[in-house]
Amino acid sequence: MEAEKIIRIAIDGPSGSGKSTLARNLAQALGFVYIDTGSLYRAIGLTASRNGVPLDAPEGVCPLLADLNLEMRLENGGSAVYLAGKRLGDEIRTPLVSQYTSQVSKLPEVRAFLLKTQREIAEKNNVVMDGRDIGTVVLPDAQLKIFLCASPEQRAMRRYEELLAKGEHMTKAQVLAELSWRDENDQKRELSPAKPAPDAVFLDNSGLFPEETLSAALELVRERLHLSPV
Ligand code: DC
């Protein structure tokens, strides 16, 4: 595929805004590859947690990066993260690993370490990539940038239901507190803070079903990229 014909769609937004659901559905509708960049950061959060790095001194993970065998492989229209050859699953989605991930993602060494991997994938494939800084830093030349948002209560409720389905027991109030802490941590960091690109389109999906959010995004794709679902 010629480099200039590659299409990149960036979806950024806070935790629980439904980015991954939209990005996955949109990639499937368009026949693009879905890239969940949060899972790369989560692999490093997991490494910090497994190696006893203190949560309030995340820089302890930096010396471990050189020997980290971290890969993102394209599988079934999406991506999977492998650490030391082992495919990572739900172990990167626990509340503790989420907290570690927010902490390690502040570090310049960690962001630089992951930037190349993310860009390389988007150089060779039509992608829908979700994260926090995709439209601002990773793919500033993305042809369409969506900033997805939803009310804090709605985001917390979605996350609560997700955790419940996985057998994690937290109250709704705990989930809302964890989510607010993480959003603030991600938005206030100095490097690549989670914020919309100046040319991003805001999409508020509070009260929308995933299919309705997908329809709204497909409308933007039609208008701006003149593309239709495959
Ligand atoms: O999207 P997620 O909840 O899986 O992301 C986990 C954490 O990783 C989140 O707290 C912020 C960080 N992250 C980031 O800093 N930059 C990205 N592109 C993706 C995630």
Side-chain angles (χ1 to χ4, degrees):
M1 204 176 285
E2 288 172 46
E4 65 268 22
K5 294 214 178 125
I6 300 269
I7 296 179
R8 303 177 183 100
I9 299 179
I11 301 186
D12 290 301
S15 318
S17 57
K19 295 184 301 293
S20 53
T21 304
L22 172 61
R24 189 180 302 109
N25 289 343
L26 190 58
Q28 193 181 15
L30 297 171
F32 286 15
V33 177
Y34 161 51
I35 307 292
D36 163 18
T37 62
S39 61
L40 288 167
Y41 284 91
R42 285 175 178 275
I44 297 183
L46 178 72
T47 302
S49 147
R50 281 182 177 167
N51 285 276
V53 170
L55 195 53
D56 58 358
E59 57 283 0
V61 82
C62 294
L64 305 174
L65 295 178
D67 292 325
L68 207 64
N69 176 7
L70 180 63
E71 290 169 86
M72 182 165 252
R73 299 189 197 162
L74 302 188
E75 291 178 357
N76 312 319
S79 54
V81 171
Y82 284 76
L83 193 57
K86 186 177 173 289
R87 191 183 200 279
L88 297 180
D90 279 347
E91 67 268 46
I92 58 172
R93 312 223 167 253
T94 65
L96 180 65
V97 171
S98 297
Q99 272 185 304
Y100 263 105
T101 306
S102 188
Q103 287 292 78
V104 298
S105 63
K106 289 181 192 174
L107 303 167
E109 293 84 349
V110 168
R111 304 208 73 86
F113 180 77
L114 295 179
L115 189 58
K116 195 164 157 258
T117 311
Q118 297 170 81
R119 284 194 177 148
E120 272 174 6
I121 292 175
E123 258 165 36
K124 300 184 201 117
N125 304 279
N126 290 328
V127 291
V128 180
M129 192 175 266
D130 86 41
R132 301 292 188 292
D133 61 340
I134 308 306
T136 49
V137 177
V138 181
L139 304 176
D141 59 348
Q143 291 93 334
L144 175 62
K145 301 177 185 177
I146 296 176
F147 194 84
L148 196 63
C149 44
S151 69
E153 292 72 22
Q154 177 116 49
R155 294 189 286 114
M157 182 55 96
R158 287 177 188 155
R159 182 97 185 103
Y160 171 76
E161 284 169 359
E162 219 175 87
L163 289 170
L164 206 64
K166 286 183 191 156
E168 297 263 358
H169 295 288
M170 280 173 86
T171 63
K172 284 179 198 158
Q174 281 171 326
V175 174
L176 182 58
E178 191 259 338
L179 202 109
S180 308
W181 175 86
R182 198 145 66 92
D183 280 350
E184 193 169 319
N185 212 30
D186 295 341
Q187 282 157 12
K188 292 205 171 143
R189 69 183 177 218
E190 271 174 45
L191 201 65
S192 305
K195 63 168 193 195
D199 51 347
V201 183
F202 275 77
L203 188 55
D204 186 332
N205 72 356
S206 306
L208 295 190
F209 287 113
E211 313 81 73
E212 296 173 309
T213 311
L214 174 64
S215 296
L218 281 172
E219 197 48 48
L220 289 171
V221 168
R222 270 189 215 101
E223 268 172 29
R224 304 200 171 207
L225 307 180
H226 311 292
L227 281 178
S228 302
V230 286

